[in-house]
Amino acid sequence: MSGRLYIVPTPVGNLDDMTFRAVSVLKEADLILAEDTRTSGVLLKHFDIHTPMRSHHKFNEHEEAPKIAERVLGGERIALISDAGTPGISDPGFMLSRECRRLGAEVECLPGATAFVPALVASGLPCDRFVFEGFLPPKKGRATRLTLLAADPRTVVVYESPKRLARTLRQLAEFFGAGRDACVCREISKIHESYHRGTLGELSSHFSLNQAKGEIVIIIGGNREDAASSAITDSVEDTDEEQ
């Protein structure tokens, strides 16, 4: 491997989801950047990886990104991993990737695990068109974002913590309507993986009484009225083109 930044997805739960290529890249790299070295240490030990490792997280990435990018440009092979899933998807990684690109250093992202894709596909909601929102703004701009998303005809994907799930579902039911179809996906690829399907009103009631645990992905069906309007508009435009 020549000088390059490798963005390496790691399992979101089941270690068997680690790819052969990911293991190979981590073993051959000069350095592994990890969001939490203690968490990643368990992964590296499991796959007998002895590459040096150092921390790269949201608290130091601003300062470290230019330094790491210079090392990649100088010929080092550096691999970036997060605690779980693909770095850059609601995890550190974007700043380093951007800085490497800015300097002309090579960046390669391996395909692999990320929580929202299996959650979306298994939810039973349309997945041909969707919008990924990650974590919603905690306070400032939250109501504005929810208002915009409520009108979107695409399926909406949101990450949430178990402690905030009940509150978020109440707000989603308020802004999207209690009758909107949704699915709360929990612990993707882990032993206690589960999917709770229903309307936002039903899910809000359920999780206000039942404390959720683990990593959460919420899938919300798109605005059907806007979707129907878009379909009619597209049909009219197609007809006009044919004529």
Side-chain angles (χ1 to χ4, degrees):
M1 296 188 293
S2 58
R4 183 169 299 193
L5 171 67
Y6 291 88
I7 299 174
V8 183
T10 55
V12 296
N14 192 324
L15 290 179
D16 287 344
D17 292 335
M18 189 74 167
T19 67
F20 292 116
R21 184 180 173 205
V23 172
S24 177
V25 167
L26 293 179
K27 285 185 174 182
E28 296 177 20
D30 297 307
L31 174 68
I32 295 173
L33 301 176
E35 185 178 5
D36 186 324
T37 55
R38 294 167 299 180
T39 299
S40 295
V42 175
L43 177 78
L44 300 191
K45 182 178 180 180
H46 181 82
F47 289 103
D48 196 30
I49 298 169
H50 303 284
T51 305
M53 178 172 53
R54 61 184 284 185
S55 296
H56 186 86
H57 44 67
K58 64 180 181 180
F59 301 109
N60 70 359
E61 61 177 337
H62 236 298
E63 178 183 351
E64 290 293 313
K67 301 175 185 177
I68 298 298
E70 289 285 358
R71 292 178 62 171
V72 174
L73 197 63
E76 291 191 60
R77 304 159 298 175
I78 297 180
L80 174 68
I81 59 177
S82 60
D83 289 349
T86 301
I89 304 298
S90 294
D91 283 323
F94 162 69
M95 290 184 183
L96 180 55
S97 175
R98 178 181 63 182
E99 189 64 17
C100 285
R101 290 297 188 190
R102 187 184 72 81
L103 295 178
E106 292 292 325
V107 178
E108 184 173 345
C109 182
L110 278 62
T114 188
F116 81 83
V117 173
L120 172 64
V121 174
S123 70
L125 291 166
C127 53
D128 54 333
R129 297 177 68 238
F130 64 92
V131 54
F132 173 71
E133 281 294 308
F135 288 95
L136 293 167
K139 293 181 180 180
K140 186 178 180 180
R142 187 179 178 92
T144 300
R145 182 69 60 81
L146 287 171
T147 300
L148 291 172
L149 292 174
D152 200 310
R154 297 170 294 178
T155 299
V156 177
V157 182
V158 173
Y159 283 168
E160 191 51 279
S161 75
K163 292 182 179 179
R164 296 192 299 263
L165 177 61
R167 168 178 173 264
T168 294
L169 287 172
R170 285 196 301 271
Q171 292 180 327
L172 288 171
E174 176 186 348
F175 281 85
F176 286 63
R180 186 79 68 93
D181 290 332
C183 181
V184 173
C185 314
R186 191 177 65 85
E187 294 288 81
I188 299 299
S189 86
K190 300 178 184 178
I191 295 175
H192 300 293
E193 177 176 341
S194 66
Y195 296 84
H196 287 81
R197 300 173 178 86
T199 65
L200 284 172
E202 292 168 342
L203 293 171
S204 177
S205 297
H206 175 80
F207 285 103
S208 66
L209 300 174
N210 299 275
Q211 175 65 48
K213 296 181 180 179
E215 302 296 324
I216 305 290
V217 184
I218 307 173
I219 313 294
I220 310 113
N223 187 320
R224 293 179 179 177
E225 292 181 3
D226 282 4
S229 298
S230 297
I232 293 172
T233 302
D234 291 342
S235 177
V236 171
E237 290 177 349
D238 291 342
T239 301
D240 290 342
E241 289 178 1
E242 289 175 1
Q243 293 176 346

